[in-house]
Structure formats: C-alpha cells, structure tokens
Amino acid sequence: MSRRCSEPQQTARPRSRRKKKSLAARGWLPNQHGAWAMLAVPFIVGVVLASRAGKPLEAWLVPLAIAELSAYLAFNVLGLWLHAAPARREAFRTPMIAYGALTGLGAALVIVLGGASLLWWLPVAAPLMAWAVWQASRKHDRSVTSGLVTVALAVGMGLAIGFPDPRELMAGSSGSWAGLATFGALFGYFGGTVWHVKSLIREWGNPRARRQSIGWHVAFTALTTVATVAGLLNLGWPVFFAVCTLRSWWLPRLDHRPKPLRIGILEIAMSVAVLIVALA
C-alpha cells in the first residue's frame, strides 16, 4: 500500500521543475552576438590610432568602454520591453534600470575625466540615438535604417577616441582626413553586414535584397580604391571590400540557406580581418 502511494510522488517531481530562462530571454544579454565585434573593433582602432598619433591614453577611456557596452545592452532590453505585452514588461525592468544607470554613471565619469570638449560629440550622437529609440518604439529595430544608425554610433565611438575634440577634424589636416577615411571604411564594412545578413536570413531568396547587399559592397570597393589612390587608406581596404563583394554574391546563391552559426563564424573571421586591415 505504501509503495503505491509513493509512486505518484516520484512521477510528480519532474513535472514541478521549470526550465530557467536564459540571460538573453530575461533581457540581460542580446541575441545578436555579431554586435560584439561591431562594438569592439572601432574602439580598438580608435585607441591604437590615437596612440600612434602621440595622444596619451587617458583614464576616461575605461568608463567610455563601460558606457558604450552598457548603453548597447540598455538599448537591447529597451527594445524587448517595448515589444513585450504590458503584463510581461515587469520582467525587463531590472536589467533596463541597471544598464541605464551604469550608462549614465559611465558617461558622467567620461566627462569628468576627459573634459568638456567631449560634449562637442553630443549633437552628433543625440539625433542618432533618438532615431534608434524611435525605430525600436515602432518595432522597426530590425530594419536596415535602424541597423545602420547603430553601426554609425559604434563607429563614431572609435572616431571620438581618435579625435576627442571634433574641432580637430575640422582643421582638415592629413591625419584627420586619413582618420575619417578609416572610420568611414569601418562603417562600410559593418553597415554592409546589415545588408548581407538580411539577405541571408530575413530576405533569403529575395533577389532585391541580394542586389542591395552587392551594390553596397561594390560602392565601398570603389570608394576605398579612390581613397587608396589619394593616399588616405592602405591597399588592403579595396582588396578586403572586393572579398566582401564576392561573399555577398556567393552565399545568397547557395542551394540551402546557411545556418546562423556558420554565418556568425564567417563574420567573426571577417571582423578580425577588417581589424588587421585597419591597423596595417
């Protein structure tokens, strides 16, 4: 009798176990893992180019790195909060407040340690941030324009590291033109991934999406060729974009859609390659 009574208790135990939600599902981490390279590469390039130009690597770079990362994570969870049903929004409140507070603290430390001249970048960044939030509020954060704005903010961070006072860029020196060309080329690559990944996942089989991706990379192959002839970029840039163009033409023509993992691995390799080219 006691054995029969114990059986329901044994079978009931597994049913009471609930699978714990992942950090991504709870809003603490993004699902877009390719974004890490978009954040890291321009930052690294900015630090290295500033060092080569003889500029001191000051303490404000540390809170800047923290602020950039936390701002991206805050934007990610904000999108989840905006997309969620009202009853589920409470689950995203804690990471949104935590990342928002960390972003604010990091930004304040950047100004305290780096000086008020960094505020000159605010009129450039503020409209881009406002556009990204507005797109997320309309559930268009996966659109091409939203992706390009996010890329512009990430690349602009590297430009701000290389030129903390944007008035230095207005001087029109050879160094400033070369810096603009380098970060423009980085925007070309990471912006191109927006078009390329869209043609492989959301718009798989769509000839128009494939043509847009190829056209973007052809345009930057031409632009970097002109910049190389002008002495602003090294020869690796047009070669790199020619490879990107070939990639954008070939992968969408496969018989089967590539798995996201394979796409991600290839983009990691391409990000390493673009870092090497940018620092060559």
Side-chain angles (χ1 to χ4, degrees):
M1 187 74 177
S2 60
R3 182 180 178 182
R4 292 180 179 178
C5 294
S6 63
E7 287 179 356
Q9 295 178 356
Q10 293 176 353
T11 57
R13 286 179 183 175
R15 296 178 184 176
S16 63
R17 295 177 182 175
R18 293 182 179 179
K19 187 177 180 180
K20 191 176 181 180
K21 289 185 178 180
S22 65
L23 290 175
R26 288 181 285 161
W28 289 102
L29 289 176
N31 279 323
Q32 310 299 322
H33 302 298
W36 303 121
M38 178 189 70
L39 297 174
V41 170
F43 196 97
I44 294 171
V45 172
V47 169
V48 173
L49 294 185
S51 178
R52 288 178 179 176
K55 299 175 183 177
L57 301 181
E58 300 180 2
W60 60 269
L61 291 173
V62 176
L64 180 66
I66 296 173
E68 180 187 21
L69 177 60
S70 57
Y72 176 74
L73 295 173
F75 176 71
N76 172 71
V77 71
L78 174 63
L80 295 174
W81 184 85
L82 290 169
H83 292 186
R88 295 187 62 248
R89 287 183 172 180
E90 182 67 25
F92 301 116
R93 181 172 297 181
T94 299
M96 188 162 56
I97 293 175
Y99 287 138
L102 188 58
T103 301
L105 177 61
L109 286 174
V110 168
I111 301 303
V112 170
L113 296 174
S117 62
L118 289 165
L119 290 173
W120 283 92
W121 284 104
L122 189 59
V124 179
L128 297 176
M129 291 187 289
W131 174 266
V133 172
W134 182 65
Q135 288 285 85
S137 69
R138 299 177 63 218
K139 299 184 179 181
H140 291 167
D141 45 323
R142 296 294 180 88
S143 66
V144 170
T145 53
S146 180
L148 292 178
V149 165
T150 305
V151 169
L153 285 167
V155 173
M157 192 67 69
L159 187 62
I161 294 170
F163 301 91
D165 190 340
R167 290 172 294 186
E168 183 181 351
L169 289 172
M170 301 175 187
S173 64
S174 59
S176 63
W177 282 111
L180 284 172
T182 298
F183 287 103
L186 285 175
F187 174 78
Y189 166 64
F190 286 108
T193 63
V194 176
W195 294 100
H196 176 59
V197 173
K198 182 181 179 182
S199 71
L200 294 179
I201 298 179
R202 288 177 172 266
E203 298 291 341
W204 173 259
N206 186 342
R208 183 169 179 267
R210 184 171 65 246
R211 288 194 298 268
Q212 289 171 333
S213 176
I214 294 173
W216 176 278
H217 290 94
V218 167
F220 272 91
T221 302
L223 288 171
T224 52
T225 299
V226 172
T228 300
V229 173
L232 299 177
L233 294 175
N234 63 66
L235 185 59
W237 280 111
V239 174
F240 175 77
F241 274 106
V243 173
C244 290
T245 303
L246 180 62
R247 172 205 61 174
S248 299
W249 171 82
W250 177 60
L251 287 180
R253 296 175 66 89
L254 295 176
D255 294 334
H256 302 285
R257 180 168 57 186
K259 295 181 179 180
L261 178 60
R262 293 183 178 180
I263 297 173
I265 292 173
L266 177 59
E267 292 310 309
I268 289 173
M270 297 295 287
S271 296
V272 173
V274 79
L275 178 61
I276 293 172
V277 171
L279 299 180

